[in-house]
Amino acid sequence: MKKLSDFDYMLIEFDASRNKEIEYLRQQFVNQYPVSFIEVMQYKDYILGQKNRDNFCYQIEVGLRKLGSIQGATSKNFGMYQDRNTGKIILADKWNVANSPELTFNKIRKAILRLIEDGKMNNRHGIITSEISQMLRYKILSVYFPTMYLSVFSENHLNFFLAQFYEDSNAGDQFSGIYDKQMGLISFKNEHPVARGWNGIEFMTYLYRVFPQVNSIKDKSDIKLVSNLVDSVKSRKQLVMNGEIRSIKKLSNSRKQNIPRENSEENVPSVKGETKIDFAERQKRLNEIGSLDEEIVVKYEKNRLANYPNLARNVKQVSLTDDSLGYDIRSYNEDGTERQIEVKSTSSLKSKKTGILP
């Protein structure tokens, strides 16, 4: 069984503040549709298909798409909807009460309120037996209770994530449904000192960043185990003296990083019996090397400031956005003053040294 840090040695660098826009959208929805409003909501405030997009179903499906997609589910999964062509109100069979939109929605409304109450109490039985369709059910829970539930509603995606942690492509089979699979992933989140402070939306964003392969999963047969993302840096040694990085040893065998040596055969194509160095490719490789080691320095700085989360959160690899500053990493001392770190690489792939600029 693996932990989050087994996959991502840069985990501490994840900037949860990138979710501010998503959190704003979520809060805006909850403010627009609080429980007190749902209790008196009419079906015209709920149904999908109207030209007016200011309704519960449209906003939770499309307006909150960034909180996890439930698109692809049929309109019937909402229990009722309005045909866009005819304007007729269509009632799903399992919700239909006397062919009456008002009575049918009254049944749907009660189910939503009951789900929100069960979600608040983390009532597993009430949640998994809810009549609300699964994708809508867990989208509602993640929106109203982002600290308790994940914004991941696809069983295929949940199965993929669980497979990575359990190192078993069939790991999802040991969980009975979406609820238990979400709780299983949340338990992995809570084992990490940084991740345990994230809510379900932030963790969802992080999982999709670390495992982009999940987006190609169509069914269970597509699930494959992902190699550790830290393999290429496990052999790096950080030598720390007086609280500062003095040097970072690189891998002696550059092929372990999948980065050809400057004069390797991979980087020197043969031309009519002669060799010709591809200088553009060489520079690209050197840039990759420098970037990798700058990431190592960022990780070190964030770890050094672990007891000062506000400072650690603001450590940045500024070279990614501005190469004119004269330094690569902006960090901080414990008193809040700025540390400007220049990371220098040698072309021999043997060492890297960092210096603190005044």
Side-chain angles (χ1 to χ4, degrees):
M1 191 177 298
K2 295 181 179 178
K3 300 178 180 179
L4 273 175
S5 53
D6 291 325
F7 294 101
D8 184 11
Y9 74 100
M10 296 290 290
L11 182 147
I12 196 170
E13 185 187 346
F14 178 69
D15 184 6
S17 67
R18 70 179 65 190
N19 292 280
K20 285 182 178 179
E21 178 190 356
I22 300 177
E23 172 57 22
Y24 172 78
L25 293 172
R26 185 198 70 81
Q27 192 61 58
Q28 189 177 49
F29 178 90
V30 173
N31 289 341
Q32 186 176 1
Y33 298 100
V35 171
S36 58
F37 178 76
I38 296 175
E39 290 174 340
V40 297
M41 186 165 61
Q42 303 298 309
Y43 77 83
K44 291 182 179 179
D45 300 313
Y46 174 80
I47 59 175
L48 197 64
Q50 302 168 316
K51 292 182 179 180
N52 174 25
R53 295 181 175 181
D54 189 18
N55 58 75
F56 184 95
C57 292
Y58 181 87
Q59 290 302 321
I60 202 165
E61 179 184 34
V62 181
L64 297 182
R65 187 186 295 121
K66 290 185 177 180
L67 278 80
S69 175
I70 60 173
Q71 287 191 295
T74 66
S75 298
K76 289 184 179 180
N77 286 334
F78 293 102
M80 60 188 302
Y81 65 97
Q82 185 177 43
D83 186 285
R84 293 179 179 177
N85 296 320
T86 66
K88 181 180 179 181
I89 305 299
I90 309 298
L91 309 177
D93 290 342
K94 82 170 188 176
W95 294 101
N96 192 336
V97 178
N99 292 320
S100 167
E102 290 81 5
L103 294 177
T104 297
F105 179 66
N106 186 50
K107 181 180 179 181
I108 294 171
R109 181 176 56 234
K110 288 180 178 178
I112 293 174
L113 291 169
R114 188 161 54 247
L115 173 65
I116 292 175
E117 182 62 26
D118 286 332
K120 181 179 180 180
M121 303 300 293
N122 198 12
N123 178 0
R124 177 182 181 276
H125 177 75
I127 291 170
I128 66 176
T129 58
S130 172
E131 292 184 89
I132 297 174
S133 63
Q134 283 205 117
M135 295 186 78
L136 178 59
R137 184 189 320 169
Y138 290 99
K139 182 68 174 282
I140 290 173
L141 290 176
S142 69
V143 169
Y144 283 90
F145 308 105
T147 62
M148 299 172 66
Y149 306 97
L150 290 183
S151 294
V152 182
F153 325 115
S154 163
E155 283 211 65
N156 283 329
H157 288 196
L158 290 167
N159 287 336
F160 174 88
F161 293 136
L162 288 167
Q164 309 314 313
F165 289 104
Y166 282 94
E167 301 179 83
D168 178 1
S169 59
N170 297 312
D173 293 345
Q174 64 183 284
F175 298 87
S176 61
I178 291 179
Y179 176 88
D180 290 333
K181 291 173 183 181
Q182 284 203 9
M183 295 303 110
L185 286 172
I186 288 173
S187 69
F188 284 107
K189 174 184 80 72
N190 291 339
E191 287 175 0
H192 194 278
V194 174
R196 72 164 61 107
W198 300 342
N199 63 29
I201 296 171
E202 292 164 341
F203 189 44
M204 173 270 293
T205 303
Y206 182 78
L207 286 175
Y208 281 95
R209 189 192 87 163
V210 175
F211 301 110
Q213 303 89 341
V214 71
N215 293 301
S216 64
I217 301 299
K218 298 293 188 296
D219 55 49
K220 185 178 176 181
S221 64
D222 294 329
I223 295 176
K224 302 291 187 298
L225 300 185
V226 176
S227 298
N228 287 11
L229 303 184
V230 296
D231 282 347
S232 64
V233 293
K234 277 185 176 178
S235 297
R236 293 170 182 250
K237 304 296 184 182
Q238 295 187 15
L239 303 181
V240 182
M241 300 178 184
N242 299 324
E244 295 182 2
I245 299 177
R246 295 302 182 184
S247 67
I248 298 177
K249 300 288 185 179
K250 285 197 173 76
L251 294 173
S252 59
N253 181 359
S254 63
R255 291 179 185 273
K256 290 183 180 179
Q257 291 176 294
N258 295 319
I259 301 175
R261 293 184 299 276
E262 181 179 353
N263 60 347
S264 71
E265 291 181 359
E266 295 175 59
N267 207 33
V268 186
S270 175
V271 181
K272 292 184 180 181
E274 300 178 355
T275 59
K276 182 178 180 181
I277 296 176
D278 186 336
F279 290 99
E281 179 64 17
R282 180 176 66 176
Q283 188 59 47
K284 176 183 176 183
R285 297 298 188 185
L286 293 176
N287 289 342
E288 289 175 351
I289 294 164
S291 181
L292 283 172
D293 283 338
E294 287 173 19
E295 290 175 357
I296 290 291
V297 177
V298 169
K299 177 178 182 291
Y300 168 78
E301 287 294 299
K302 286 179 176 287
N303 281 327
R304 184 178 63 80
L305 294 169
N307 293 327
Y308 303 86
N310 290 334
L311 295 176
R313 190 178 300 116
N314 290 315
V315 174
K316 300 295 182 185
Q317 185 178 346
V318 294
S319 61
L320 293 176
T321 56
D322 190 345
D323 59 4
S324 66
L325 296 175
Y327 59 94
D328 305 301
I329 311 296
R330 180 183 293 122
S331 185
Y332 299 88
N333 296 306
E334 294 178 357
D335 62 1
T337 56
E338 190 173 283
R339 285 162 58 96
Q340 298 175 345
I341 304 174
E342 181 181 2
V343 181
K344 297 180 179 179
S345 299
T346 69
S347 61
S348 64
L349 293 180
K350 288 183 179 179
S351 66
K352 172 188 284 272
K353 295 184 178 180
T354 64
I356 308 301
L357 301 181

